[in-house]
Each structure stands twice: as C-alpha cells, then as structure tokens.
Amino acid sequence: MADTQEIVSVLTESRVFPPPEQFSQRAHIRGMQDYQRLWDEAEKDPQKYWGERAREELFWKEPFQTVLDWKPPHARWFVEGKTNLTYNCLDRHLPRLKDKPAILFEGEPGDRRSITYGELSQQVNRLANGLKSLGVKKGDRVGIYLPMVPEAAVAMLACARLGAVHSVVFGGFSAEALQERMKDAGVKVLLTADGGWRKGAVVPLMKNVEAALTHATGIEKVVVLTRTGDGKLPAGPKFLAWDALVKGQSDTCEPEWVESEHPLFILYTSGSTGKPKGVLHSTAGYAMMASLTTRWVFDLREDDVYWCTADVGWVTGHSYVVYGPLMNGVTTVLYEGAPTQPGPDRFWAIIERYKVSILYTAPTAIRAFMRLGDGPVKQHDLSSLRLLGSVGEPINPEAWMWYRDVIGGGRCPVVDTWWQTETGAIMISPLPGATPTKPGSATFPLPGIHAEILDRDGKRVPRGQGGLLFVTKPWPSMLRTVYGDPERYVKTYFSELPGMYFTGDGARTDADGYVWLMGRVDDVVNVAGHRLGTAEVESALVAHAKVAEAAVVGRPDDLKGTALVAFVTLKHGNAPSDALKKELAAHVAKEIGAIARPDEIRFAEGLPKTRSGKIMRRLLRDVAAGNHSTQDTTTLEDLNVLAALRQNDE
Ligand code: 6R9
C-alpha cells in the first residue's frame, strides 16, 4: 500500500521525459506511431498478431495451426506446434555465437567466470544427460535450490531440454518452505549446493536440504554442487556430487521436442491464503513473450551487456536473467551476493567492470542506494549504461528521478515494468524508443495486452479514478493453472469478474491515460520487492507454542516499500516481553525465511473482529501506520479492542 503522501505526489506528478532522440532513432520501436500501429494490428486480429510474433520469436520443430483455443478461463496457445526452449536459448545461436559470452558471472567473494554460448551449451547437455541417467524424463519435476551461480541457469536449461518441469526455490527460503514446495510439486530430483555466499557469510543450503529431508518429500536424489565448502557429501545413497554426475557425460543431448502447452516450470508465489500457490507456466507462449518483451522493453541489441539483478528464485530471474536474454543471444550478467558487499559500490563496480549497458533492478534497491548518497556511484564510470529498468513494486517519483539522474547520468530512459509471476512476462511498460515516461508510472500496456482498470461490477473507471487492475483477454504467457489445485486457479484469478484475470493490484489512469499502480488490494504485501502473503506469516506465528492469534499487516516504509507489522495475542500464562518478540521473529524466519521476519511485533489483548469473527485487517493497517482511522467501524465486534491497540501505540 502506498502511503497518502506518496499518492499525493504521484497524483501531482507532471514531469514528462520523451525518449532521447538518439535512442529513438536506433530503437526497435520508434515513436508512439510504431506503438500505435502494433496496438491496432493486435486489436484488429489478435490471432494473426500473436501468431506472427510466435513464428518470428521461436524456432518451431513442428508448426502450430491454431493460435488460440480459449475456453474461459483456460487457454491453449499455438496448439499443434512443437518446440524446445533450450534449443531456442542455445542451439539456434550456434555456431555463430559459439565464442560469445552468454554469462558473465561474479561471485560475492570476487571469483569470476565468463561462459560462452558454446560452453554453456556443453554444460547444459552434460547435466541433461546426467539427469537422464538418474531416470528424469519428460514431465518429471526437478527442484532447484541453488545460489545465484551459473549452474542455476544450467540446471533450468537442462530441465527444459528434457521436457522436465523445474521448480526453483529461492535460496533465502527456509527448510520448511523448501520441504512444503518440493512435496507439493512432487519433485523427484533436487539440484542444490553446499551453500552460497551472502553478506560475507555462507547460506547453509545443504543443511536446509537435510532438514527438509527429515520430512516426507518424495525426493529420490539430491545432486550437490560444491560452492562454499570442501565437497564432502552428507552420508547416504540419496546424495550425489554434481561433478560426479556430469563427469564423462556426452556434451550432446537431443532436445525433447515438446508440445507448446507442455509445462515448463512451477514457481511458488504468495497469495492471500496461508499456502503458497504453484504457478504453472507452459512452454511456447511463455517463451515467446519472454523473448519478445526482453527485446522490445530493453530495446536489446546483440552487443548489449545486460544485467538483471534478480535472483533466479523469482520469476524475474526466470524470464529476465535466464530465458529472455539467452533467447535473444545477448550477454547476461549474474552476480551471486548482496548489493553492498564488501562495500556500498559493488553494483557500480560490476557495471564498470563488464561495461553493462542495460540495468534492470528493483525500487527497494534503488532507495537503499539513494540513502547511501551519490558518493559510491561517483567512484565508477557508468558511461556504458544506456537503459535502466525497474520492477517488483511501485517506484516512487523521487527514486525514479535519482535512478535516472545519478545512475543513468540523465541520458538513459527508465522503464518501469509492471508484471507478475502469473503473467510470465512484462505487461505494462514504456517502450524506451517510443513512450514518453513519467516518474512513477508504468505508462501503457504492451500491444495486445488488455490491462484495464475496472470497478467491482466490471465497469471501466473514469480517468483519474482508482480501480482494480484486470487483464480482460488471454495472453500467451499467462499462467495455465495452480499446480495440483485447478479450482484455486479459477477461484483466485477468474472469480472477481468471470472470465477476466484479476491481478490483485489497484491502479488508476491519469488524464493522459498513463497507468499508475497503487499496490496490492488483497492480503499480499510487497516487502522489499518480495511478495509475501500476510496469511503465511500469520500461520507461522500461530504455529509457535505461545501464540494464540496473530494478524499481520503492511505498513508503508521508506526503504522496503512495505514493512511487516504483526499483532499477536498470547496464550494464557505467557507474558509479553522483548525477548519473546525476538523469539517470535526468529521463529518466522525459520519457518519461512528471513524475508518474512516481521519488522515490528505488537502484543495485544485481543484483535479487532467483525461479528462473524473475521479479523479486521484494514483497521490494523491504520493502527500500524499510525493513522487515525476514518474507516467504518460499525461491524467491529468490540470497540474497546481497537482503543486498547491505539493506546499501546502511545
Ligand atoms: C515481476 C514480479 C507481482 C506484484 C504485482 C505488483 C508488484 C511488480 C511492479 C509492481 C508496481 C511495478 N509489482 N512490478 N507494482 N509497479 N513495476 O515482481 O512478480 O513477485 O509475482 O510480484 O509485484 O503488486 O502484483 P511477483
């Protein structure tokens, strides 16, 4: 949720930055007339438009005949076609790009590797053959729990080569979170590492895996990469060294030609209930849009050195660290560690060292750098940059301006890209050679994307007013289902207005039709660009022996965008204390991961509830933010509870 001040500043934002003339002249999409032409084409004949894009973007082993089969809310795209995503990322660029760096890697301790397209292809094929030797076949699920090292990309590509479905779990997630996801996905083989480097310390991935394996997961084999330790494996027949698995494997492996709709990956994301959803994406539609949007939105050219700072554990890492850039044959930078390790200038040193031309990062990082001042930036030559991107949460105009002026030297267009795990690819964004930008606005939907702001009855809200963001027509990279729970797919995404995809975000347009995202309208919060369900944190808290009830809400935070505030009532016989606050915070970190640790815990005698017993989170949001509630309290069961919560505030 944006705070009031921010909304005011966004509403009065009037600065407009047209694309720099020189940038436009060379861009893939030049000027708003180009954008409008594509938009009109897509509008006139969507099937023709998307069909052409799919033929241009991908190599097809067998062509498709049907562009779209839409039985709301289920879509099948490019139906009869067959392709392979790894072939599209690697083989089709060989031999031309054989010696070109595909990945430039830098580990947190400073180790570096440059991996060419030729080498990457060999590594992928060897691992694919290794996985085959473990019995992995088309359709099997493979878990990936790795640090941001090149092997994470190799693992994803090896799965896609075999038609195996990968499910990456962010390395910052706990043993419990890992176990839950692996079990839900029915993972057969898990690819992991002994550890990874973060803030000068080791993230104990292997320890977490071992803890996860003490519960039922169904995992048959665990393949362990040596990254931080001495290569010693845990005892038992389940564990296998990565090196041993790939050693002696052939570096050719025939790609499995899969149907367009063959599942590509499952990625867990937070929703408004306690259980994370396994968002399932299929192959061709996803691949086509990842490829197309990377080229259009970042205006890619082959000599670009492109750096998206996301972790592969998030969807941004899937679409814009691995698949999008590799399909386009550019060089993608991978950095393992924390942005300020060992010093506040690490990002800028990386940009200077590799002559990064495109940087794609998150507002929370930009705000953190802003706090550190311009000094660390000025120590480095950032003149290689030509384009800047932002993703993950609304970017406040102040951070946008700092990004543009200080990082981009005032010459680089800024693209604020709105999308979600579920959308697979960027949906609303400027096209840098075409769209005049406004600080804080994601501007317009891409051609063919029907992102619309509606009220609860499905009526379009007038310009200047807020409403709910829907996507009213299917698009190729839309999620296909919630893995193992098809009803939840319909209920979560297509029930607000039948047949139309509900994003969970609020938005408005301004007088010029620009889209401004206003944050989540459900019980999902965005903490430092990480998406969390408040219900997940609540269920972690109530799992603690001393907790009776918990309600978790977001509070606006200058740095993280949103901070987590937990209201907790204790079971009889337990007294509130600072030590208990610490214990509860640590408990949440253990259950979910450090990203879910509440920023503030408040003990309460009771929580405000409706007569039907629902916790009134919107009231708690006001209390957490220190606002005097103007909200309707007529259904509040016990007004004294609210008064007591407020008192605790003082
Ligand atoms: C790609 C990604 C999705 C949620 C989304 C929205 C927020 C993402 C944004 C943005 C405003 C942007 N979000 N990009 N809000 N402006 N440019 O982040 O996916 O982790 O699934 O999060 O993030 O609230 O609904 P995911």
Side-chain angles (χ1 to χ4, degrees):
M1 274 278 145
D3 65 20
T4 335
Q5 206 184 345
E6 189 128 297
I7 291 172
V8 170
S9 78
V10 157
L11 283 169
T12 54
E13 182 58 61
S14 57
R15 287 167 288 196
V16 181
F17 296 92
E21 185 67 28
Q22 266 188 321
F23 192 100
S24 256
Q25 278 167 4
R26 298 185 54 204
H28 292 293
I29 295 163
R30 296 173 205 162
M32 284 311 266
Q33 41 323 333
D34 263 16
Y35 168 86
Q36 193 60 48
R37 182 177 47 74
L38 288 161
W39 180 261
D40 293 343
E41 262 176 43
E43 194 61 10
K44 201 168 115 220
D45 191 345
Q47 304 241 358
K48 179 163 174 277
Y49 171 82
W50 288 121
E52 278 172 7
R53 299 289 84 75
R55 275 185 283 270
E56 283 164 11
E57 243 24 74
L58 300 181
F59 169 84
W60 292 92
K61 184 70 173 173
E62 283 173 32
F64 56 89
Q65 314 294 330
T66 312
V67 172
L68 170 65
D69 168 22
W70 176 229
K71 296 192 180 65
H74 301 287
R76 297 193 310 146
W77 285 89
F78 316 120
V79 185
E80 301 78 5
K82 280 197 174 179
T83 186
N84 179 284
L85 180 46
T86 302
Y87 184 92
N88 278 280
C89 288
L90 301 173
D91 310 50
R92 72 168 159 163
H93 303 315
L94 304 174
R96 199 169 57 89
L97 302 185
K98 189 170 142 289
D99 298 322
K100 174 180 178 169
I103 295 176
L104 294 175
F105 168 72
E106 188 163 307
E108 196 185 78
D111 51 319
R112 294 174 205 161
R113 272 192 274 167
S114 165
I115 301 170
T116 64
Y117 272 89
E119 290 161 346
L120 184 61
S121 171
Q122 286 178 348
Q123 292 185 22
V124 167
N125 287 352
R126 279 191 205 125
L127 181 64
N129 283 325
L131 288 172
K132 250 194 203 170
S133 75
L134 298 178
V136 173
K137 329 176 280 308
K138 180 179 169 190
D140 286 345
R141 273 81 60 214
V142 173
I144 298 175
Y145 185 58
L146 283 167
M148 268 300 276
V149 291
E151 285 79 4
V154 172
M156 292 163 73
L157 292 160
C159 290
R161 189 149 195 101
L162 299 175
V165 182
H166 57 70
S167 187
V168 185
V169 175
F170 173 52
F173 276 123
S174 66
E176 279 78 4
L178 174 69
Q179 183 258 338
E180 182 185 20
R181 287 159 174 76
M182 294 297 93
K183 192 172 166 204
D184 189 82
V187 158
K188 193 166 163 178
V189 172
L190 175 63
L191 300 168
T192 189
D194 49 357
W197 292 103
R198 181 96 195 161
K199 296 189 183 154
V202 172
V203 183
L205 297 173
M206 194 59 240
K207 232 178 76 200
N208 290 345
V209 171
E210 284 184 277
L213 289 175
T214 59
H215 304 277
T217 57
I219 294 174
E220 292 167 16
K221 286 279 176 208
V222 179
V223 181
V224 188
L225 179 79
T226 300
R227 166 77 189 136
T228 52
D230 55 10
K232 266 206 224 103
L233 282 179
K238 258 193 189 159
F239 299 96
L240 188 83
W242 185 295
D243 284 351
L245 179 68
V246 296
K247 201 171 168 196
Q249 297 288 354
S250 154
D251 55 21
T252 53
C253 172
E254 272 308 298
E256 181 79 32
W257 299 107
V258 298
E259 319 74 65
S260 292
E261 281 300 326
H262 184 69
L264 175 70
F265 67 84
I266 302 167
L267 186 59
Y268 286 85
T269 188
S270 298
S272 30
T273 73
K275 193 171 175 276
K277 296 179 290 241
V279 167
L280 183 99
H281 279 285
S282 62
T283 304
Y286 169 83
M288 183 278 267
M289 272 187 73
S291 174
L292 179 74
T293 54
T294 312
R295 196 170 58 265
W296 278 5
V297 172
F298 302 109
D299 190 51
L300 281 191
R301 13 201 102 257
E302 261 197 8
D303 58 357
D304 272 317
V305 177
Y306 163 98
W307 184 23
C308 166
T309 66
D311 190 283
V312 288
W314 309 110
V315 73
T316 308
H318 284 58
S319 304
Y320 299 107
V321 175
V322 180
Y323 291 128
L326 294 179
M327 273 189 279
N328 281 286
V330 297
T331 300
T332 180
V333 174
L334 234 78
Y335 168 59
E336 176 188 33
T340 50
Q341 187 69 28
D345 64 333
R346 184 62 180 270
F347 265 31
W348 323 124
I350 290 175
I351 291 174
E352 179 173 17
R353 182 149 46 246
Y354 303 106
K355 301 203 167 29
V356 170
S357 55
I358 298 167
L359 175 68
Y360 189 30
T361 193
T364 187
I366 299 166
R367 288 192 296 265
F369 289 130
M370 223 171 122
R371 282 205 175 172
L372 296 170
D374 300 2
V377 185
K378 300 286 181 229
Q379 290 165 19
H380 296 278
D381 174 9
L382 303 186
S383 61
S384 56
L385 285 172
R386 63 182 200 91
L387 180 66
L388 302 173
S390 170
V391 62
E393 54 181 314
I395 178 165
N396 47 311
E398 197 195 353
W400 195 100
M401 287 304 299
W402 187 83
Y403 197 27
R404 181 180 187 278
D405 290 344
V406 179
I407 306 305
R411 67 181 185 279
C412 306
V414 175
V415 289
D416 172 15
T417 64
W418 178 90
W419 62 294
Q420 307 176 296
T421 305
E422 293 87 342
T423 69
I426 294 169
M427 303 286 276
I428 307 177
S429 169
L431 293 167
T435 319
T437 52
K438 298 187 185 187
S441 168
T443 74
F444 305 108
L446 296 182
I449 300 299
H450 288 260
E452 294 188 51
I453 303 166
L454 308 175
D455 64 19
R456 294 218 179 250
D457 300 322
K459 279 208 285 297
R460 217 178 269 187
V461 299
R463 282 191 178 179
Q465 272 180 34
L468 304 174
L469 183 66
F470 286 85
V471 187
T472 59
K473 292 189 181 161
W475 68 101
S477 63
M478 66 194 279
L479 80 163
R480 297 306 196 255
T481 191
V482 173
Y483 188 75
D485 197 349
E487 273 164 36
R488 197 167 171 200
Y489 168 77
V490 181
K491 195 163 162 269
T492 311
Y493 301 111
F494 291 94
S495 299
E496 198 74 32
L497 295 171
M500 294 186 191
Y501 172 82
F502 177 48
T503 62
D505 278 10
R508 63 173 190 89
T509 46
D510 65 15
D512 303 322
Y514 280 64
V515 178
W516 300 78
L517 277 306
M518 311 302 277
R520 300 288 305 197
V521 296
D522 54 8
D523 291 324
V524 172
V525 283
N526 205 318
V527 179
H530 293 148
R531 186 169 151 181
L532 284 169
T534 51
E536 271 171 85
V537 186
E538 286 166 8
S539 56
L541 281 166
V542 295
H544 189 280
K546 294 178 186 162
V547 173
E549 245 187 338
V552 173
V553 296
R555 151 166 66 67
D557 181 271
D558 282 352
L559 197 60
K560 296 174 152 190
T562 311
L564 283 184
V565 181
F567 293 88
V568 172
T569 63
L570 295 172
K571 281 188 188 151
H572 193 66
N574 294 292
S577 69
D578 283 347
L580 184 54
K581 282 187 187 174
K582 283 209 184 99
E583 187 180 323
L584 295 179
H587 170 76
V588 173
K590 182 177 164 289
E591 289 282 315
I592 305 174
I595 49 170
R597 188 193 295 270
D599 297 276
E600 192 185 335
I601 294 180
R602 292 193 183 191
F603 294 114
E605 286 294 321
L607 299 175
K609 291 190 187 154
T610 63
R611 290 204 183 100
S612 63
K614 281 205 175 71
I615 295 174
M616 299 186 79
R617 287 193 180 68
R618 52 194 183 95
L619 280 178
L620 290 176
R621 273 198 282 271
D622 277 345
V623 174
N627 296 340
H628 256 294
S629 183
T630 50
Q631 308 218 23
D632 182 12
T633 51
T634 48
T635 53
L636 186 65
E637 199 210 355
D638 182 359
L639 279 167
N640 292 332
V641 166
L642 190 62
L645 286 172
R646 287 244 167 74
Q647 245 160 32
N648 287 347
D649 216 12
E650 270 125 43

